[in-house]
Amino acid sequence: DEDEDEDEDEDDDIVDHVDEEDERSDEELKKYANAMYDEMDKDQDDKVTWAEYYHVVKKDKDYTGETKAEEEEDFKEIDADKNGYVTRQELVEDWLREDLDFADDDEVDDDDEDNEDDEDDAGTEDDDEDEDPSVKKPSSSSTKSKAAASSKSKSTDSDETLGDKLKDTALKIFKTRAPTPKSINVKLFQAGGVSWNAAEQHCRKLDKHLCPDKAVHQLKLCQDPDPSHKGRSVPIDTPGVWMVLDTCTKENHGTDRANKALIACC
């Protein structure tokens, strides 16, 4: 009876998980889709083969940890007419699908900024350590001349830089491509602290059960840039086992230990 009361208390802490509404317009999505297609279709024949597709998407494979086989499944899904290659129209239509989720721009940008800050800090430290007091620094006029030349060069390359940035952002957003929970009949909840038992009982009230790890991977919840997923674990269908989202590893915490959770009911 005491265990049942504890589970009921934990159940009160379980709330619906709601992602913030993506405010991107269809035009913005088309812009990203076209930038990505330009990167893949180098010979501009409007036919992107599996080899061309994988050559581009594999560049950021560590971003979501997808295997080559999973990438190929995505390619086959985008190839709507199943003729072995992806047209520009097929890629654009895939980006516009209502049954797919993509990370928000700011989530991807935040991840990039964190990496850039780390690199900048490292570069500053290296400069300080390598500086030799016996070496004369360039005069201010020399420095200004070089700065002016650099500024002119940057201005000339600005369009190309913006284009590369757009393609890079498009690819990172695309790598978070995943079915919406609703499209595969999954209901998501979150809790500040809940046990495996309480999570399973909550799913049973909906005539569901905790999802297997396959569903967690399918929804790309692991290493998701969504800040609301940080520090959470997903209880899966094996008693006491949780999928840690930050590391995408499984851990056995027992059935009664409470964890900060994202609950997926299948």
Side-chain angles (χ1 to χ4, degrees):
D1 292 341
E2 290 181 3
D3 290 342
E4 289 181 5
D5 290 339
E6 288 178 5
D7 288 340
E8 288 179 2
D9 290 340
E10 291 181 45
D11 191 61
D12 292 337
D13 187 42
I14 300 174
V15 297
D16 286 350
H17 175 72
V18 180
D19 284 327
E20 292 185 7
E21 190 68 23
D22 186 357
E23 298 180 355
R24 279 185 302 234
S25 66
D26 284 356
E27 289 307 310
E28 287 178 294
L29 291 171
K30 289 177 182 178
K31 177 182 68 175
Y32 284 127
N34 281 308
M36 181 178 171
Y37 200 85
D38 289 341
E39 181 69 7
M40 295 187 296
D41 188 24
K42 293 299 186 182
D43 56 5
Q44 299 181 349
D45 63 350
D46 197 35
K47 294 181 181 180
V48 169
T49 64
W50 158 241
E52 290 175 313
Y53 175 89
Y54 186 64
H55 177 72
V56 172
V57 298
K58 72 179 181 181
K59 295 176 184 177
D60 279 315
K61 67 179 181 180
D62 292 336
Y63 193 70
T64 55
E66 272 201 304
T67 64
K68 185 174 182 178
E70 289 170 332
E71 298 282 16
E72 190 166 12
E73 285 302 312
D74 288 345
F75 175 82
K76 291 177 179 178
E77 190 174 344
I78 298 168
D79 177 19
D81 59 9
K82 309 304 176 189
N83 61 1
Y85 57 84
V86 170
T87 64
R88 185 181 295 272
Q89 182 179 349
E90 285 175 326
L91 186 65
V92 170
E93 289 177 353
D94 188 78
W95 274 78
L96 297 176
R97 283 172 53 181
E98 294 184 358
D99 62 334
L100 290 178
D101 268 341
F102 296 94
D104 294 337
D105 302 42
D106 56 350
E107 292 171 2
V108 174
D109 290 341
D110 287 344
D111 185 69
D112 288 341
E113 287 170 7
D114 289 342
N115 291 334
E116 288 174 4
D117 288 343
D118 291 342
E119 291 173 3
D120 289 343
D121 291 342
T124 302
E125 290 174 6
D126 290 343
D127 290 343
D128 291 341
E129 290 175 3
D130 294 341
E131 188 172 343
D132 186 345
S134 66
V135 177
K136 290 184 179 181
K137 295 181 180 179
S139 66
S140 59
S141 60
S142 174
T143 302
K144 289 178 181 177
S145 298
K146 290 181 178 178
S150 176
S151 176
K152 184 177 181 180
S153 176
K154 287 180 180 178
S155 176
T156 303
D157 297 338
S158 61
D159 291 342
E160 183 178 349
T161 301
L162 287 172
D164 289 343
K165 175 64 176 176
L166 180 63
K167 292 173 185 177
D168 187 54
T169 302
L171 181 56
K172 279 185 165 57
I173 292 174
F174 184 78
K175 293 290 288 182
T176 67
R177 174 186 183 277
T180 61
K182 183 179 179 180
S183 70
I184 58 173
N185 199 26
V186 173
K187 183 72 174 174
L188 292 181
F189 303 90
Q190 63 188 50
V194 65
S195 68
W196 187 95
N197 275 334
E200 171 65 12
Q201 287 187 17
H202 186 79
C203 289
R204 287 184 181 181
K205 290 178 182 179
L206 305 172
D207 292 327
K208 295 178 180 289
H209 293 277
L210 291 174
C211 293
D213 57 349
K214 179 181 179 180
V216 177
H217 287 294
Q218 187 177 4
L219 291 169
K220 293 189 180 176
L221 299 177
C222 284
Q223 298 172 324
D224 190 333
D226 186 339
S228 68
H229 294 175
K230 189 174 181 60
R232 295 187 185 275
S233 298
V234 179
I236 60 176
D237 60 347
T238 305
V241 177
W242 297 70
M243 179 75 74
V244 182
L245 295 184
D246 290 344
T247 59
C248 211
T249 56
K250 288 186 282 189
E251 297 180 1
N252 193 328
H253 294 172
T255 56
D256 298 319
R257 171 180 160 182
N259 290 298
K260 184 179 179 181
L262 181 65
I263 304 167
C265 299
C266 289

